Amino acid sequence: MPDVITVRVQTDSDSFQEVVVKIERPTYNKPFLGGFRNMRTGVEFHNTGSQTKFRKRPDKGLKLFCRETQTILEKNKPQQTRNTTSTQMTKIGLYVSNMTDKLISPRKYFTAEEYHKRRLEAVIVLQKYFRRWHAINVVQKLREQKRLRLTWEAQEELRKKMEKEKKLRREYERKLNPKTKEDFELLYHGLELWIQEETERINRTLIGAERKAALCELLEKEAQLIACFERHKLNANVENQQKAILHLLDKSAQPKRWKAYDGKITEVDTQDTLHARELLEIYRSISMKGIPKDERRAVLLTLRCTVKEHECKLTQEILELIDREVDLMSREVKGCNLEGLRQRICALFLQYIKIPKVNPGITGLLKVPQDPLKLYKNVYFCHSCENYLPSSEFHIPGNCRTIGRCRLCYKLDNQARQRDAFLKYRLILENLRKSEAGYQDDSKIVSLVQLPDLQYMIENIWNCQSPLSAWSELYDLIMVRWDKQREWSPWNTILLTKEEADAHLKLCNLQKAYEAAFIYRIKQKHIRSKTYFAQIPAMSSFLHGSDNQASTS
């Protein structure tokens, strides 16, 4: 047989393909591992193991098989014991020296009772030493546990002190440089507390005309502080608006992400995201202040080339403003006199970016839908500011049956009248929703509870304090499940500190852990919560379900 042969293989019903096959000659004799012989022709056919090439085992550098480990060397050796001997004693005619002999005299004989008594005394001595050693170890362990406990208490005390200082410092910074709605809520809340203290002091110490003069002076100070707050709010609104614009543009320029089966995140940049990223960089460039004139001209040239891609009325306005700024820069006009023009360019370019045809990635991020028919859905009328607003702009409590004022009107009313700070209640609600999401048992009631409902529960039902320790600092209090086996609800909750909540969630049997009087007080609070939330139609189904579950248990 030749070394190379050509085989014709049929690949289709009417097509064939020639394949070149190389023949390998065996370099060793194949062992016979079974087979059969054709009786007519005499040809032998071996099994598959004989047709394949033998694969050698890799050499590991160790001798795995040897004769010594598989065989046992046996020996038969006879051995003769020593001959018997005798002891010679002194007798007549024979002298044996006794210089090396030992004289043994009998001692006092003691009975079995004395022997056992002696053993008992020895055992008692051993027990004494063992108990002493064991007591030393127990005392050392207790001393070490006490040291660790004191260290932990000191660390916890230091941690709480640092957290409190950090919280006070953060509140001071937020009041000093307010930027968010919560910061201004804290400012107005602090102003209201100061006004109440000053009014009480004036009413207590002054009378007549002096009291009226002091109250007028206090009113003027209040007006000045409110004006100062509003100036800070205007500056903060400008900064927040710029941050919101950059966040919107950055979100539209994010790559597409999805999670694979192995948990890895895959990111892909599309043509729309790359174009959105270019528009974001151009907007950042034209928004920068204090750059040299050459760089400013280069940025304006890039902006001109970009907006020319889509011809519209807005594009013409941007091009006219660009030409006007370039002309004024060539005439050496000061940069401070060009601020208004540059702001107009930024505002028009932002409108250009928000066009879906220019930036398709921003379509789903705009608050105003592109379809006018969608504006007629979920739109309500605010009787206070007399504006038509979407449903997301209304603050609707759980027990409300009609649409009242919008969020902005509630906020203005709060700043003018009560001046309450809802930051503490908002933090408690966020922690509650985060902890319920960790249970992964499809808890629904926690999503129905709004901020006014939670505030009513904490203030009127739980009295703003923990029922265990009477701790009243709301920053340290959280809401957890009373019975962790059932989903959270206003009638299955308890207000505790963080340390108390961790210990409460580790309990397996509440009846054995708490006293009957304490459990009775908690049940009474749950009944009051049921009475309040029974007014909410969406809660009625959950109330019936909890009653059936309680009766079954």
PDB file of all heavy atoms in Angstrom, residues 16 30-31 48 65 137 150 220 223 268 304 313 406 542:
ATOM      1  N   PHE A  16     -19.106  15.116  -5.370  1.00  0.00           N
ATOM      2  CA  PHE A  16     -18.099  14.306  -4.720  1.00  0.00           C
ATOM      3  C   PHE A  16     -16.874  15.168  -4.442  1.00  0.00           C
ATOM      4  O   PHE A  16     -16.618  16.170  -5.102  1.00  0.00           O
ATOM      5  CB  PHE A  16     -17.707  13.106  -5.603  1.00  0.00           C
ATOM      6  CG  PHE A  16     -18.838  12.123  -5.820  1.00  0.00           C
ATOM      7  CD1 PHE A  16     -19.786  12.341  -6.837  1.00  0.00           C
ATOM      8  CD2 PHE A  16     -18.975  11.023  -5.007  1.00  0.00           C
ATOM      9  CE1 PHE A  16     -20.828  11.450  -7.021  1.00  0.00           C
ATOM     10  CE2 PHE A  16     -20.016  10.139  -5.179  1.00  0.00           C
ATOM     11  CZ  PHE A  16     -20.954  10.354  -6.198  1.00  0.00           C
ATOM     12  N   LYS A  30       1.937  -4.869  16.938  1.00  0.00           N
ATOM     13  CA  LYS A  30       0.738  -4.653  17.723  1.00  0.00           C
ATOM     14  C   LYS A  30       0.411  -5.903  18.531  1.00  0.00           C
ATOM     15  O   LYS A  30       0.449  -7.010  18.018  1.00  0.00           O
ATOM     16  CB  LYS A  30      -0.444  -4.319  16.811  1.00  0.00           C
ATOM     17  CG  LYS A  30      -0.276  -3.029  16.034  1.00  0.00           C
ATOM     18  CD  LYS A  30      -1.491  -2.771  15.173  1.00  0.00           C
ATOM     19  CE  LYS A  30      -1.337  -1.476  14.390  1.00  0.00           C
ATOM     20  NZ  LYS A  30      -2.515  -1.228  13.530  1.00  0.00           N
ATOM     21  N   PRO A  31       0.070  -5.729  19.778  1.00  0.00           N
ATOM     22  CA  PRO A  31      -0.326  -6.905  20.571  1.00  0.00           C
ATOM     23  C   PRO A  31      -1.713  -7.371  20.176  1.00  0.00           C
ATOM     24  O   PRO A  31      -2.554  -6.573  19.747  1.00  0.00           O
ATOM     25  CB  PRO A  31      -0.311  -6.379  22.012  1.00  0.00           C
ATOM     26  CG  PRO A  31      -0.584  -4.924  21.868  1.00  0.00           C
ATOM     27  CD  PRO A  31       0.085  -4.500  20.580  1.00  0.00           C
ATOM     28  N   THR A  48     -10.613  -2.985  18.324  1.00  0.00           N
ATOM     29  CA  THR A  48     -10.268  -1.554  18.177  1.00  0.00           C
ATOM     30  C   THR A  48      -9.004  -1.197  18.932  1.00  0.00           C
ATOM     31  O   THR A  48      -8.195  -0.393  18.493  1.00  0.00           O
ATOM     32  CB  THR A  48     -11.429  -0.685  18.687  1.00  0.00           C
ATOM     33  OG1 THR A  48     -12.618  -1.100  18.034  1.00  0.00           O
ATOM     34  CG2 THR A  48     -11.186   0.778  18.398  1.00  0.00           C
ATOM     35  N   PHE A  65       6.427   1.436  39.935  1.00  0.00           N
ATOM     36  CA  PHE A  65       6.277  -0.018  40.051  1.00  0.00           C
ATOM     37  C   PHE A  65       7.672  -0.638  40.258  1.00  0.00           C
ATOM     38  O   PHE A  65       8.618  -0.308  39.539  1.00  0.00           O
ATOM     39  CB  PHE A  65       5.642  -0.616  38.793  1.00  0.00           C
ATOM     40  CG  PHE A  65       4.316   0.006  38.443  1.00  0.00           C
ATOM     41  CD1 PHE A  65       4.224   0.998  37.474  1.00  0.00           C
ATOM     42  CD2 PHE A  65       3.173  -0.373  39.118  1.00  0.00           C
ATOM     43  CE1 PHE A  65       3.013   1.562  37.162  1.00  0.00           C
ATOM     44  CE2 PHE A  65       1.943   0.201  38.815  1.00  0.00           C
ATOM     45  CZ  PHE A  65       1.873   1.154  37.841  1.00  0.00           C
ATOM     46  N   ASN A 137      -7.456  28.531  84.778  1.00  0.00           N
ATOM     47  CA  ASN A 137      -7.836  28.697  83.366  1.00  0.00           C
ATOM     48  C   ASN A 137      -9.180  29.411  83.233  1.00  0.00           C
ATOM     49  O   ASN A 137      -9.356  30.286  82.365  1.00  0.00           O
ATOM     50  CB  ASN A 137      -7.911  27.330  82.681  1.00  0.00           C
ATOM     51  CG  ASN A 137      -6.543  26.713  82.499  1.00  0.00           C
ATOM     52  OD1 ASN A 137      -5.530  27.417  82.522  1.00  0.00           O
ATOM     53  ND2 ASN A 137      -6.483  25.406  82.326  1.00  0.00           N
ATOM     54  N   LEU A 150     -14.702  45.053  77.700  1.00  0.00           N
ATOM     55  CA  LEU A 150     -14.413  46.453  77.982  1.00  0.00           C
ATOM     56  C   LEU A 150     -13.830  47.151  76.757  1.00  0.00           C
ATOM     57  O   LEU A 150     -14.160  48.311  76.464  1.00  0.00           O
ATOM     58  CB  LEU A 150     -13.454  46.562  79.168  1.00  0.00           C
ATOM     59  CG  LEU A 150     -14.015  46.105  80.531  1.00  0.00           C
ATOM     60  CD1 LEU A 150     -12.922  46.176  81.594  1.00  0.00           C
ATOM     61  CD2 LEU A 150     -15.216  46.953  80.934  1.00  0.00           C
ATOM     62  N   GLU A 220     -37.929  91.153  62.067  1.00  0.00           N
ATOM     63  CA  GLU A 220     -37.006  91.666  61.054  1.00  0.00           C
ATOM     64  C   GLU A 220     -35.826  90.712  60.844  1.00  0.00           C
ATOM     65  O   GLU A 220     -35.403  90.462  59.707  1.00  0.00           O
ATOM     66  CB  GLU A 220     -36.499  93.039  61.482  1.00  0.00           C
ATOM     67  CG  GLU A 220     -37.567  94.125  61.444  1.00  0.00           C
ATOM     68  CD  GLU A 220     -37.024  95.476  61.888  1.00  0.00           C
ATOM     69  OE1 GLU A 220     -35.808  95.533  62.220  1.00  0.00           O
ATOM     70  OE2 GLU A 220     -37.798  96.448  61.910  1.00  0.00           O
ATOM     71  N   ALA A 223     -37.016  87.846  58.764  1.00  0.00           N
ATOM     72  CA  ALA A 223     -37.135  88.207  57.354  1.00  0.00           C
ATOM     73  C   ALA A 223     -35.762  88.261  56.683  1.00  0.00           C
ATOM     74  O   ALA A 223     -35.595  87.821  55.537  1.00  0.00           O
ATOM     75  CB  ALA A 223     -37.855  89.544  57.215  1.00  0.00           C
ATOM     76  N   VAL A 268     -21.365  47.581  25.524  1.00  0.00           N
ATOM     77  CA  VAL A 268     -21.210  47.768  24.077  1.00  0.00           C
ATOM     78  C   VAL A 268     -21.553  49.218  23.752  1.00  0.00           C
ATOM     79  O   VAL A 268     -22.597  49.731  24.167  1.00  0.00           O
ATOM     80  CB  VAL A 268     -22.129  46.812  23.291  1.00  0.00           C
ATOM     81  CG1 VAL A 268     -22.070  47.125  21.801  1.00  0.00           C
ATOM     82  CG2 VAL A 268     -21.736  45.369  23.522  1.00  0.00           C
ATOM     83  N   ARG A 304     -19.607  74.512  15.293  1.00  0.00           N
ATOM     84  CA  ARG A 304     -20.192  74.867  13.996  1.00  0.00           C
ATOM     85  C   ARG A 304     -20.301  73.642  13.089  1.00  0.00           C
ATOM     86  O   ARG A 304     -21.347  73.393  12.463  1.00  0.00           O
ATOM     87  CB  ARG A 304     -19.342  75.952  13.344  1.00  0.00           C
ATOM     88  CG  ARG A 304     -19.744  76.288  11.914  1.00  0.00           C
ATOM     89  CD  ARG A 304     -18.704  77.182  11.282  1.00  0.00           C
ATOM     90  NE  ARG A 304     -18.778  78.521  11.830  1.00  0.00           N
ATOM     91  CZ  ARG A 304     -19.598  79.467  11.377  1.00  0.00           C
ATOM     92  NH1 ARG A 304     -20.428  79.198  10.369  1.00  0.00           N
ATOM     93  NH2 ARG A 304     -19.607  80.653  11.915  1.00  0.00           N
ATOM     94  N   LYS A 313     -34.161  75.701  12.227  1.00  0.00           N
ATOM     95  CA  LYS A 313     -34.147  77.083  12.699  1.00  0.00           C
ATOM     96  C   LYS A 313     -33.221  77.249  13.888  1.00  0.00           C
ATOM     97  O   LYS A 313     -32.519  78.270  14.007  1.00  0.00           O
ATOM     98  CB  LYS A 313     -35.570  77.498  13.060  1.00  0.00           C
ATOM     99  CG  LYS A 313     -35.698  78.956  13.458  1.00  0.00           C
ATOM    100  CD  LYS A 313     -37.142  79.313  13.759  1.00  0.00           C
ATOM    101  CE  LYS A 313     -37.247  80.774  14.181  1.00  0.00           C
ATOM    102  NZ  LYS A 313     -38.659  81.163  14.498  1.00  0.00           N
ATOM    103  N   CYS A 406     -49.903  70.093  44.963  1.00  0.00           N
ATOM    104  CA  CYS A 406     -48.705  69.460  44.410  1.00  0.00           C
ATOM    105  C   CYS A 406     -47.569  69.528  45.435  1.00  0.00           C
ATOM    106  O   CYS A 406     -47.684  70.157  46.482  1.00  0.00           O
ATOM    107  CB  CYS A 406     -48.304  70.136  43.100  1.00  0.00           C
ATOM    108  SG  CYS A 406     -47.875  71.881  43.278  1.00  0.00           S
ATOM    109  N   PHE A 542     -54.646  43.403  52.439  1.00  0.00           N
ATOM    110  CA  PHE A 542     -53.540  42.963  53.292  1.00  0.00           C
ATOM    111  C   PHE A 542     -54.007  42.789  54.740  1.00  0.00           C
ATOM    112  O   PHE A 542     -53.519  41.896  55.444  1.00  0.00           O
ATOM    113  CB  PHE A 542     -52.390  43.955  53.232  1.00  0.00           C
ATOM    114  CG  PHE A 542     -51.781  44.082  51.864  1.00  0.00           C
ATOM    115  CD1 PHE A 542     -52.043  45.176  51.065  1.00  0.00           C
ATOM    116  CD2 PHE A 542     -50.949  43.088  51.368  1.00  0.00           C
ATOM    117  CE1 PHE A 542     -51.479  45.297  49.813  1.00  0.00           C
ATOM    118  CE2 PHE A 542     -50.382  43.202  50.118  1.00  0.00           C
ATOM    119  CZ  PHE A 542     -50.654  44.306  49.332  1.00  0.00           C
TER     120      PHE A 542
END
